[in-house]
Amino acid sequence: MKFCIRDDDTNYYTAPSVLESVFGSIWDDVPITLACIPMISPDSDALVEPTESSPMPIEENEELVSYLNNRLQAGSVEIALHGYHHDTPSGNPEFVSGEQLAEKLKDGRDQLESAFSDDIQLFVPPHIRLSNKGTRAVHNEGLDIVRGYGPRPREVQLHPKWWASYAKFLAFYARYQKEFRYPFPIDYGTHRELYSHRLNQQTDLDWCKRAFDYIESEDGVFCLSVHAHGLNQTGQEKLEKMVSYAKQYDPDFVTASTAMAEFNP
């Protein structure tokens, strides 16, 4: 099986010390997929407190960019695209009700690839939610998706493979509901998706271990999602315990993009 960790909301306001405190004891063994906000807005609902009155590009945090490029060279992280402004236009997540999504995806991807020595292959939707329009914009940009739950019917894509793949997902959901995530990346024809199990200070660690055990029994991909900005000491301890638990089974610790690229169901 494969094991990966996805962390959301790295942005202009992120101090390297935040990432170091959460992942410093982990990422030499387990690479982290960092979902980065390229142009965080002053009204963003990410887990930070914006202090500027205009959107701020992540590349202007020179300390963070230098720090992450060193981590990229060490193989500790990969960079993914996490929305654009990470705001809530009309009260909904950015890639549900936002406008000019294709332009934002291209510009956000270009910004991250310019700032970091990494090719952007993945998109993580803010609030793990996408509309049909948002999904179409993502796959038109040639990105795969890492999220929490699977797609909803409103995200129907007009590709023959979508229907067969979604039928497999529905059969799984009918059996397990929200207890576990689908254990494999799914190829929808237009793009691939990987689903994550959320871990924070409230997470039932026994549930998380059961989910891992299920995916290990299927020889699948277990993806754990966290938010370093909001992870307190209790949450960090749970993360470290979950990684220690996984190590007993000797999975392949990989980035999320590697998990999708190397997985052959």
Side-chain angles (χ1 to χ4, degrees):
M1 72 171 297
K2 299 184 186 299
F3 182 105
C4 55
I5 296 175
R6 175 195 115 215
D7 175 69
D8 294 356
D9 291 355
T10 296
N11 65 85
Y12 167 82
Y13 296 103
T14 299
S17 59
V18 171
L19 300 176
E20 187 69 35
S21 69
V22 175
F23 302 118
S25 64
I26 294 174
W27 53 18
D28 286 339
D29 298 321
V30 185
I32 309 298
T33 297
L34 289 177
C36 297
I37 305 168
M39 185 72 76
I40 190 165
S41 71
D43 58 348
S44 170
D45 63 347
L47 297 175
V48 295
E49 294 184 8
T51 57
E52 303 294 334
S53 59
S54 59
M56 296 301 298
I58 193 171
E59 61 194 12
E60 290 195 13
N61 185 333
E62 295 180 1
E63 180 186 12
L64 175 67
V65 170
S66 175
Y67 174 79
L68 289 182
N69 275 318
N70 288 335
R71 281 295 171 189
L72 281 161
Q73 291 177 11
S76 302
V77 301
E78 77 166 338
I79 305 297
L81 178 60
H82 188 41
Y84 187 73
H85 291 310
H86 203 301
D87 55 1
T88 52
S90 303
N92 290 308
E94 183 178 24
F95 276 75
V96 172
S97 61
E99 300 296 331
Q100 297 181 307
L101 298 183
E103 292 83 353
K104 288 179 177 179
L105 283 164
K106 185 180 186 309
D107 186 61
R109 186 181 196 177
D110 288 347
Q111 284 192 53
L112 295 184
E113 290 186 340
S114 175
F116 303 109
S117 306
D118 206 21
D119 293 329
I120 306 303
Q121 305 174 55
L122 301 176
F123 180 77
V124 178
H127 299 281
I128 65 171
R129 287 183 57 195
L130 287 157
S131 64
N132 184 289
K133 180 177 69 173
T135 305
R136 186 165 58 250
V138 172
H139 74 66
N140 284 343
E141 184 59 28
L143 298 171
D144 290 322
I145 296 172
V146 184
R147 63 199 297 185
Y149 302 117
R152 300 183 181 187
R154 67 171 178 243
E155 295 174 37
V156 171
Q157 302 297 297
L158 299 179
H159 189 286
K161 200 166 189 176
W162 189 94
W163 299 97
S165 296
Y166 193 58
K168 290 192 295 185
F169 177 84
L170 285 180
F172 172 84
Y173 184 82
R175 181 175 181 182
Y176 293 105
Q177 299 295 312
K178 293 184 178 180
E179 178 68 9
F180 306 137
R181 305 294 175 264
Y182 193 81
F184 311 112
I186 297 184
D187 185 351
Y188 287 103
T190 56
H191 66 282
R192 293 172 295 184
E193 294 194 9
L194 177 64
Y195 308 118
S196 310
H197 296 76
R198 179 75 179 271
L199 184 144
N200 56 31
Q201 44 268 27
Q202 285 83 38
T203 296
D204 180 344
L205 203 58
D206 289 336
W207 162 78
C208 208
K209 291 177 179 178
R210 289 197 305 273
F212 176 91
D213 291 345
Y214 165 71
I215 291 180
E216 192 275 335
S217 72
E218 296 289 325
D219 196 22
V221 177
F222 183 83
C223 185
L224 198 62
S225 74
V226 298
H227 286 72
H229 283 284
L231 207 61
N232 64 13
Q233 186 62 38
T234 298
Q236 291 180 39
E237 290 172 359
K238 288 184 177 181
L239 175 60
E240 292 168 359
K241 288 178 180 177
M242 197 61 218
V243 170
S244 295
Y245 183 79
K247 285 181 176 179
Q248 300 176 71
Y249 296 83
D250 195 28
D252 292 332
F253 291 112
V254 296
T255 61
S257 65
T258 298
M260 284 202 272
E262 294 185 352
F263 188 80
N264 295 304

